[in-house]
Amino acid sequence: MDLLKEKILAEGIAVSDEILKVDGFLNHQVDPALMQDIGQAFAEHFKNQGITKVATIESSGIAPALTTAAALGVPLLIFKKQASKVLNDALYQTIVTSFTKTTSYELSLSKKFIGDKDHVLIIDDFLANGEAASGAIRLLHMANATVAGLGVVIEKSFQPGREKVAEQGVSVHALARVKKLAKDVIELH
Ligand code: 5GP
């Protein structure tokens, strides 16, 4: 994904030594041609594995997850974020601590769209501490579905997400890996 790496270096903004802003092409304004390439790259990596669905977390994972699902020819599941309320029988629900750790949110998935025959590929925009991915894995396991892997557009390798996800037996494929962030500095692997 040379184009992705070029875009990160040309247009990405390191807002701190922890956070990379890529809202010009990934999660605020979206580059559709780049999303198509990203979908193809994930589909190529995860092909022939019997994947039945792609899943993501609203809202910033939707663009790359949709093109991946299209390339694999399977439906896209969007895990919903919503304020915590009473337990709902029709939903699988779990609490996720947000990346900034200042808030947590509830992730939910309707039972009617997932089952024990599903083999699901999770796609997200960023992998940082692995909390969002772990929440997605928990929801899929509640449904007795199996997890084919986690595909992330950008992994920040100086944060512990990959290890956290690997501990749960899920392999990670990142299209770009950030080694270091500092004010006005972005270093890729
Ligand atoms: P994690 O749960 O792995 O700690 O964080 C993953 C989620 O936090 C991603 O879905 C993404 O929305 C958000 N996130 C984490 N790090 C960054 C970052 O550096 N930049 C942006 N724009 N979002 C991030």
Side-chain angles (χ1 to χ4, degrees):
M1 288 298 304
D2 288 346
L3 180 61
L4 171 65
K5 290 179 186 169
E6 281 165 24
K7 278 215 168 242
I8 292 170
L9 294 175
E11 297 178 33
I13 298 165
V15 285
S16 68
D17 54 6
E18 294 214 330
I19 295 181
L20 175 64
K21 210 169 157 188
V22 285
D23 59 357
F25 60 90
L26 185 57
N27 48 29
H28 194 131
Q29 172 171 266
V30 176
D31 179 334
L34 180 65
M35 292 306 129
Q36 294 283 6
D37 290 353
I38 285 172
Q40 291 294 341
F42 281 136
E44 177 60 29
H45 183 83
F46 289 103
K47 72 181 175 194
N48 302 330
Q49 294 188 25
I51 289 165
T52 60
K53 284 176 188 180
V54 170
T56 194
I57 295 166
E58 66 178 1
S59 61
S60 48
I62 293 175
L66 178 63
T67 55
T68 305
L72 286 168
V74 298
L76 170 63
L77 286 173
I78 300 168
F79 296 166
K80 304 286 189 179
K81 285 177 185 170
Q82 57 188 36
S84 204
K85 35 180 155 115
V86 286
L87 220 66
N88 183 330
D89 258 5
L91 301 174
Y92 293 113
Q93 295 168 298
T94 191
I95 301 288
V96 172
T97 309
S98 79
F99 169 64
T100 52
K101 292 213 183 316
T102 50
T103 52
S104 57
Y105 57 88
E106 191 166 72
L107 210 57
S108 68
L109 166 64
S110 172
K111 291 181 178 175
K112 69 181 170 200
F113 297 127
I114 189 79
D116 59 5
K117 305 272 189 306
D118 280 312
H119 190 48
V120 182
L121 171 62
I122 303 166
I123 298 287
D124 206 359
D125 59 342
F126 273 93
L127 178 61
N129 294 327
E131 296 295 338
S134 298
I137 294 166
R138 281 198 298 280
L139 281 186
L140 293 167
H141 284 166
M142 282 177 198
N144 292 317
T146 50
V147 181
L150 169 68
V152 291
V153 180
I154 302 173
E155 172 190 355
K156 291 179 290 176
S157 66
F158 55 89
Q159 289 164 337
R162 179 178 284 265
E163 292 75 37
K164 184 165 172 125
V165 171
E167 277 167 16
Q168 297 164 77
V170 173
S171 69
V172 178
H173 180 58
L175 298 182
R177 303 182 72 224
V178 179
K179 194 169 14 176
K180 185 181 171 196
L181 291 178
K183 185 116 183 62
D184 300 325
V185 176
I186 302 170
E187 272 181 39
L188 301 180
H189 283 271

